[in-house]
Amino acid sequence: MDRIRIVGGNQLQGVIPISGAKNAALPLMIASLLTDDTLTLENVPHLADVEQLIRILGNHGADISVNGRRERQGESYARTIHFTSRNIVSTTAPYELVSKMRASFWVIGPLLAREGKARVSLPGGCAIGTRPVDLFIEGLAALGANIEIDGGYVNATAPEGGLTGGRYVFPKVSVGATHVLMMAATLANGMTVIGNAAREPEVADLAKCLNAMGAKITGAGTGTITIEGVRSLSGARHRVLPDRIETGTYAMAVAMTGGDVILEDTEASLLDTALEAIRRTGAEISETNSGIRVVRNGAGIRPVDIVTDPFPGFPTDLQAQFMGLMTKSSGVSHITETIFENRFMHVQELARLGAKISLSGQTAKIEGVSRLKGAPVMATDLRASVSLVIAALAAEGETMVSRVYHLDRGFERLEEKLTRCGAHVERVSD
Ligand code: UD1
């Protein structure tokens, strides 16, 4: 199994190209099941999760061809992928496939809307809490679906004549359930109104693509989404929006090590709250023509408190990275996680590098230390793993991160992007 070896101490200087967003690419790929025509997605990141979803969509009958690359400094950072599901050959998403990635559960929406039935295994994914599917079930039931859970599978069927538009107000904000309900409603009879919808930019990106396919969606990106059902959807061509989590991660890496880096092909408006928090730590952040410039000079890292929240709040997917940054702050900071109940597994690994962190319920108290020291650590989930990389970049000596398959699920060419900016990061294959 691969490991990543990091020798800390270097400042970051240069340009980092930001990839297309994993969390947009996945629902966009799944939306291709809604049409028998071809959906072409540009700027799709090359990640293990994308490869896994390609296998899952293929199992339902999608023909998938990959071509077109985005070149940068002689390396390709993204692909154009064509998805054509002329016929759906299976409406079952089996345990062996779905258990590897939670988002694959989302095929339930398009399969149910287009074929009138779906049998989808209950999901797996990152071990960051219980992550139930009750909101998906309630939402789809509001469109008339009949849903039963049996033997680890969710069996959903639409009434004769298909799903019907309905009104559903989420009791809790869910990104995935908003994606699924919005996709299912595009082909329902009549009008659907989704209240307390997730406002994440990836939801708006999916709606933009669905509208290009002929859907009639308004309000995506706000708390209320209205969908007027149409008979069928056509193909389209859509460019995946930039990855705001990758953007924030590298911005925090620069704030941690010091230096001067341009994050290219991204947009500050996708992560205002996180950038503001990074600014308060002492880094200078400015917008450039092509992206964002992050600079931190000699001054130390100021302690800053954050609380995670649904968009536009501070993203839970940047919580671990921010904790990595706070380990070297000049004082005491607090981080409160409100989205997932078990998302502090990085704490004990950061402690191995010398961080001083104590937990009380959903809040971590971080007492900044003046030096971290490299150590062997283990990646525990996708975002937690990259917090270890951030800390290791500023630690003295060598850190070996094992279980890097977590990183490969969500960060395209991480070691290359950092190495080009002067960091000492290499992949070691055993
Ligand atoms: C998505 C993101 C993930 C991010 C998360 C929150 C993708 C592929 N993944 O995950 O990176 O961390 O949003 O921003 O886009 N919940 C329920 N019942 C449900 C569904 C969710 O109780 O039926 C709960 C979850 O356990 C969690 C909260 O709702 O506590 C938010 O989860 P949700 O927004 O659904 O996360 P995902 O869509 O899985």
Side-chain angles (χ1 to χ4, degrees):
M1 244 188 287
D2 287 0
R3 290 179 296 166
I4 288 191
R5 179 172 174 271
I6 300 166
V7 180
N10 295 1
Q11 293 208 334
L12 296 175
Q13 307 276 354
V15 176
I16 297 181
I18 297 300
S19 298
K22 170 185 87 82
N23 285 357
L26 300 178
L28 288 163
M29 291 166 68
I30 288 172
S32 70
L33 292 174
L34 285 163
T35 174
D36 60 9
D37 214 341
T38 301
L39 176 65
T40 299
L41 297 176
E42 296 171 4
N43 202 29
V44 180
H46 198 171
L47 298 168
D49 273 9
V50 167
E51 298 308 304
Q52 176 65 10
L53 188 55
I54 285 177
R55 281 189 281 278
I56 289 167
L57 296 177
N59 180 58
H60 296 300
D63 277 334
I64 298 165
S65 66
V66 180
N67 59 44
R69 304 189 313 180
R70 188 178 126 204
E71 295 278 347
R72 181 80 61 203
Q73 297 165 326
E75 300 294 342
S76 63
Y77 284 101
R79 300 178 300 170
T80 297
I81 310 188
H82 310 274
F83 301 86
T84 312
S85 304
R86 193 81 62 215
N87 297 304
I88 300 288
V89 299
S90 168
T91 53
T92 298
Y95 175 71
E96 303 75 64
L97 293 177
V98 180
S99 58
K100 298 210 173 83
M101 179 180 49
R102 179 176 166 89
S104 52
F105 180 78
W106 303 351
V107 297
I108 194 168
L111 291 176
L112 181 62
R114 181 165 159 195
E115 297 294 303
K117 61 179 178 163
R119 177 173 156 76
V120 181
S121 169
L122 287 165
C126 277
I128 53 173
T130 47
R131 301 183 97 176
V133 294
D134 52 328
L135 304 176
F136 293 81
I137 291 175
E138 281 179 20
L140 292 172
L143 302 188
N146 178 13
I147 298 180
E148 284 165 14
I149 298 185
D150 177 38
Y153 278 78
V154 178
N155 295 318
T157 46
E160 194 83 14
L163 296 173
T164 48
R167 205 186 164 77
Y168 183 69
V169 180
F170 281 108
K172 176 178 189 180
V173 176
S174 164
V175 175
T178 302
H179 282 315
V180 163
L181 204 51
M182 189 165 77
M183 285 193 274
T186 58
L187 293 180
N189 300 304
M191 181 95 89
T192 297
V193 179
I194 306 175
N196 197 23
R199 290 180 284 165
E200 269 65 3
E202 293 76 21
V203 171
D205 201 43
L206 175 63
K208 186 175 163 197
C209 177
L210 290 168
N211 283 341
M213 294 163 71
K216 293 189 173 160
I217 304 173
T218 54
T222 75
T224 306
I225 304 177
T226 304
I227 305 122
E228 203 184 312
V230 296
R231 234 169 229 296
S232 65
L233 294 176
S234 60
R237 193 176 183 95
H238 178 84
R239 183 176 172 83
V240 178
L241 94 172
D243 196 316
R244 63 194 165 97
I245 304 304
E246 192 194 26
T247 305
T249 300
Y250 288 124
M252 289 179 203
V254 181
M256 183 68 162
T257 61
D260 185 346
V261 170
I262 303 242
L263 305 173
E264 216 170 38
D265 298 332
T266 186
E267 291 161 33
S269 61
L270 295 171
L271 69 162
D272 282 333
T273 309
L275 291 180
E276 190 46 40
I278 300 168
R279 263 192 203 106
R280 284 166 50 216
T281 71
E284 289 165 37
I285 298 179
S286 53
E287 288 185 55
T288 69
N289 285 344
S290 61
I292 300 170
R293 181 171 173 202
V294 186
V295 181
R296 188 169 73 76
N297 300 316
I301 302 165
R302 284 198 292 268
V304 173
D305 293 348
I306 56 142
V307 178
T308 63
D309 256 323
F311 193 86
F314 190 99
T316 175
D317 285 352
L318 285 173
Q319 180 256 105
Q321 297 89 315
F322 199 76
M323 194 180 297
L325 173 60
M326 286 298 97
T327 59
K328 276 199 82 181
S329 87
S330 56
V332 176
S333 59
H334 299 86
I335 296 184
T336 303
E337 170 62 52
T338 71
I339 311 290
F340 294 108
E341 72 269 30
N342 185 22
R343 205 170 203 185
F344 281 134
M345 282 168 315
H346 41 286
V347 168
Q348 49 188 350
E349 298 302 310
L350 287 170
R352 294 177 56 75
L353 300 173
K356 281 178 81 176
I357 307 170
S358 56
L359 283 178
S360 167
Q362 291 298 94
T363 299
K365 177 180 167 196
I366 304 110
E367 290 172 68
V369 294
S370 56
R371 53 189 286 257
L372 298 171
K373 198 160 175 299
V377 291
M378 196 189 285
T380 51
D381 74 51
L382 169 53
R383 309 303 176 184
S385 52
V386 83
S387 75
L388 303 173
V389 173
I390 289 180
L393 287 172
E396 291 167 16
E398 176 186 298
T399 297
M400 239 341 166
V401 184
S402 57
R403 302 206 176 161
V404 295
Y405 53 83
H406 288 296
L407 274 178
D408 294 336
R409 288 188 44 214
F411 289 89
E412 187 176 22
R413 296 177 180 269
L414 170 114
E415 60 272 29
E416 203 177 279
K417 291 185 183 188
L418 287 171
T419 304
R420 280 185 191 285
C421 289
H424 193 137
V425 182
E426 64 180 332
R427 187 173 285 257
V428 183
S429 298
D430 294 329

